[in-house]
Amino acid sequence: PNDIPCDPIVEKKYGKKLQFIYSFAKNMMLDALITTLKDKKIVLCGQVETPAVYRGQRAKLLVKKFALVEE
């Protein structure tokens, strides 16, 4: 997700308040991540479609980039 570009509209609206979830979530346990994100504002700030193989079948995978909005 670090290589998925952030939507310019979202970036302009929230600017420096965006904290990309993947950058800190990749090293967290699920319960800690849930506690961190609970009652927080989360926005979809980008997505990209990429080819994938699922059970031997070609498919398209939609990878989404989310960010936490620090108020």
Side-chain angles (χ1 to χ4, degrees):
N2 287 336
D3 59 341
I4 298 173
C6 188
D7 185 313
I9 295 170
V10 174
E11 198 166 25
K12 182 178 179 181
K13 182 175 181 177
Y14 296 107
K16 301 273 185 198
K17 293 181 181 179
L18 291 176
Q19 183 179 7
F20 299 110
I21 293 173
Y22 179 76
S23 58
F24 66 85
K26 64 184 175 185
N27 296 319
M28 293 179 92
M29 298 295 290
L30 184 58
D31 56 342
L33 179 61
I34 291 170
T35 301
T36 302
L37 299 177
K38 190 174 181 178
D39 300 323
K40 304 287 186 191
K41 185 175 188 176
I42 300 170
V43 294
L44 173 64
C45 52
Q47 60 187 12
V48 77
E49 193 173 272
T50 186
V53 177
Y54 179 71
R55 293 186 180 181
Q57 300 292 319
R58 290 184 178 174
K60 292 182 181 178
L61 177 66
L62 188 61
V63 181
K64 298 182 178 189
K65 183 175 190 172
F66 292 94
L68 179 66
V69 178
E70 293 289 328
E71 297 291 336

